Amino acid sequence: MPQEHRVQTRCGILSVSVYGDEDKPALITYPDVALNYMSCFQGLFFCPEAASLLLHNFCVYHITPQGHELGAAPIPSDVPVPSVDDLADQVADVLDFFSLGSVMCLGVTAGAYILTHFAEVRGNGQDPESEIVQACRSLLHERQGANVWRFLQAINKRHDLTDALKKLQCRTLIFVGEYSQFHVDAVHMTTKLDQRYCALVEVQACGSLVTEEQPHAMLIPMEYFLMGYGLYRPSQHESSPRSTLSPFCISPELLSPESMGVKLKPIKTRISLNA
């Protein structure tokens, strides 16, 4: 079970759920608009193989945007709507609260923007409606619309980070579903980042929420990515994440040793739809 913390930030109280041994390296997550860590990252972190890759190697700090917690009451209308700068500052406050230094970050869409902005400041379809879409619709009905609107307002007022991306020294692994409406944006983003530090993974048969739709497809790229940091330690009690995947999930010729230890060039995963 996670340890639930209420963290006082400069822009209000934030809910942070902590999984694992706090002596391990830190992994910070931030969900997309209208989601919280359960609805955005449950598929990835409940995947048995993810325990070997993530929970075995990291202490995970799930940040939930204000008002997105389960059962959250409406935020009073007289409370100012935060800016994206405020949201990034909240991430910094979370790190200060837990006395964290260097961290790994995992964000989805709007959450990825917030964590990217934080890194800059701090560090320098057409398919039939799937069960996941239906689940998200159900979750949206449960969420306080006014609270979601507050977060959406902050994201809609975001400033363009494009020009600053070349200066971003954080190594970055970008996942995008081949059917995602943000596919073009993800590809464009990789052209703006320093190619020595950036890699793109396109996940087949997937929309915009890779962490829920195809969590298995994330494991091998993340394993190689973490190896580049020296942070991946195979569990003695768990099998490697590769053991349950087809060895042809990623072509060996697409991997070449570069600045990330083993860098992933722009690739497509190969997931069997009949599995």
Side-chain angles (χ1 to χ4, degrees), residues 148-209:
V148 173
W149 176 239
R150 289 170 57 87
F151 186 47
L152 191 58
Q153 281 182 289
I155 291 299
N156 283 340
K157 294 178 181 178
R158 66 190 182 276
H159 40 271
D160 191 350
L161 302 179
T162 306
D163 291 339
L165 289 177
K166 282 292 185 184
K167 301 177 182 178
L168 191 65
Q169 297 300 301
C170 298
R171 297 171 184 174
T172 305
L173 186 58
I174 298 176
F175 290 93
V176 62
E178 65 172 331
Y179 301 132
S180 172
Q181 59 181 316
F182 306 109
H183 184 279
V184 172
D185 304 275
V187 174
H188 175 72
M189 195 71 125
T190 62
T191 67
K192 300 300 180 182
L193 286 158
D194 189 325
Q195 296 301 299
R196 295 173 299 169
Y197 301 107
C198 174
L200 174 69
V201 179
E202 181 184 276
V203 181
Q204 291 185 338
C206 188
S208 296
L209 199 59

Side-chain angles (χ1 to χ4, degrees), residues 1-268:
M1 293 295 292
Q3 292 183 334
E4 303 291 345
H5 296 267
R6 302 281 286 173
V7 178
Q8 180 66 57
T9 74
R10 66 198 80 181
C11 299
I13 297 176
L14 209 58
S15 176
V16 181
S17 302
V18 181
Y19 282 82
D21 182 354
E22 295 186 25
D23 289 332
K24 292 182 178 180
L27 173 65
I28 305 294
T29 77
Y30 206 114
D32 196 9
V33 174
L35 303 180
N36 53 41
Y37 81 94
M38 286 297 292
S39 52
C40 192
F41 296 105
Q42 178 174 252
L44 176 63
F45 282 90
F46 280 18
C47 172
E49 295 79 19
S52 174
L53 179 61
L54 298 175
L55 299 180
H56 176 65
N57 291 283
F58 294 94
C59 182
V60 183
Y61 298 79
H62 291 295
I63 295 176
T64 295
Q66 287 176 292
H68 286 52
E69 306 89 346
L70 289 175
I75 298 173
S77 58
D78 59 346
V79 175
V81 174
S83 66
V84 289
D85 292 329
D86 294 329
L87 298 177
D89 286 341
Q90 285 187 321
V91 176
D93 291 337
V94 169
L95 267 64
D96 291 340
F97 178 86
F98 291 104
S99 300
L100 301 176
S102 298
V103 298
M104 298 293 290
C105 295
L106 176 61
V108 173
T109 318
Y113 176 93
I114 296 301
L115 292 176
T116 300
H117 185 34
F118 157 74
E120 287 186 335
V121 174
R122 181 83 168 199
N124 157 331
Q126 298 180 359
D127 288 342
E129 189 169 273
S130 65
E131 292 182 3
I132 291 175
V133 173
Q134 295 174 15
C136 286
R137 289 186 185 280
S138 176
L139 289 166
L140 286 173
H141 286 303
E142 297 173 2
R143 199 75 66 241
Q144 291 288 347
N147 296 351
V148 173
W149 176 239
R150 289 170 57 87
F151 186 47
L152 191 58
Q153 281 182 289
I155 291 299
N156 283 340
K157 294 178 181 178
R158 66 190 182 276
H159 40 271
D160 191 350
L161 302 179
T162 306
D163 291 339
L165 289 177
K166 282 292 185 184
K167 301 177 182 178
L168 191 65
Q169 297 300 301
C170 298
R171 297 171 184 174
T172 305
L173 186 58
I174 298 176
F175 290 93
V176 62
E178 65 172 331
Y179 301 132
S180 172
Q181 59 181 316
F182 306 109
H183 184 279
V184 172
D185 304 275
V187 174
H188 175 72
M189 195 71 125
T190 62
T191 67
K192 300 300 180 182
L193 286 158
D194 189 325
Q195 296 301 299
R196 295 173 299 169
Y197 301 107
C198 174
L200 174 69
V201 179
E202 181 184 276
V203 181
Q204 291 185 338
C206 188
S208 296
L209 199 59
V210 181
T211 54
E212 290 295 308
E213 297 176 63
Q214 295 282 11
H216 284 79
M218 300 179 67
L219 296 176
I220 292 177
M222 290 177 70
E223 177 181 322
Y224 280 106
F225 183 76
L226 296 175
M227 282 180 179
Y229 281 97
L231 290 173
Y232 174 66
R233 297 176 296 110
S235 171
Q236 296 178 351
H237 306 291
E238 302 276 352
S239 60
S240 167
R242 299 189 225 181
S243 62
T244 60
L245 293 176
S246 164
F248 304 107
C249 181
I250 296 179
S251 299
E253 65 270 14
L254 294 176
L255 301 176
S256 61
E258 290 187 40
S259 62
M260 292 198 304
V262 177
K263 180 175 179 179
L264 296 171
K265 297 180 179 179
I267 62 176
K268 291 185 179 182

